[in-house]
Amino acid sequence: INFILGNAGAGKTTFLIQFLYNGATKFDENGLYISFEPEITDIYRSAKKQGMDVEKLDAQGKLKILKINSGATIREIQDKIIKLIAKYNIKRIAFDPINVFAIELPKEISIRRQIYDLLSLLKKLDVCTMIAGESDGENDGYDMPDEVAFCKYSTDGVIELFSSGLSGTADRALRIVKMRMTNHARGPVGMEITGAGIKVLSK
């Protein structure tokens, strides 16, 4: 399970869609996009602008999109995910964004506990998961509720996306903060959002 952090316009949704699209078209790994904010038609439109026909893959059962309505309980969400994973042989899941998910959860039970239960379920189901988290700040000054920020410590990987360049080679950058049991680049790396999605630049 990986946590993708970034402020508005950093490229989080593009990152998630590209992760699922590449899985379905290049690696024969079906995906599930779980949206708590963008409408399905908006996802289709945004992806198509970057050369990714998500609507076609959805119709083929290779990249399903689940729009979660407000008021859904954690149990209802878990049941839907389990059924879709079994029905479509899902191997990759993307959540967008976890902040809205946290806001919509019932308050009589600890929000942090509900998110933890969801993450635990996903690990048991053996699917590769990307969770987007919205932040207001750049660098390490992320401004987010504690219930969401704890995902940085309970996930296997953390990737930060920046809308203003840190690498000196581009206006945008990404940084792998942690990736358990993986040797990875430690500093920020330049990236571009092109007509074909995200392109990571050489250091």
Side-chain angles (χ1 to χ4, degrees), residues 4-6 9-22 26 46-47 49-52 130 159-163 170 172-175 189-202:
I4 315 301
L5 287 168
K12 298 183 298 299
T13 298
T14 299
F15 190 104
L16 297 182
I17 292 175
Q18 193 169 340
F19 161 69
L20 296 179
Y21 184 84
N22 286 348
K26 296 181 179 181
S46 176
K49 286 182 179 179
Q50 295 173 322
M52 296 179 283
M130 297 283 181
I159 300 172
E160 296 175 344
L161 303 182
F162 301 89
S163 57
R172 299 176 183 274
L174 64 79
R175 177 171 59 198
V189 178
M191 75 172 194
E192 296 176 343
I193 297 181
T194 72
I198 290 176
K199 178 182 178 182
V200 178
L201 306 177
S202 300

Side-chain angles (χ1 to χ4, degrees), residues 58-70:
D58 192 357
Q60 295 173 343
K62 295 181 179 180
L63 201 170
K64 301 305 296 180
I65 299 179
L66 174 62
K67 179 68 167 67
I68 300 294
N69 297 319
S70 61

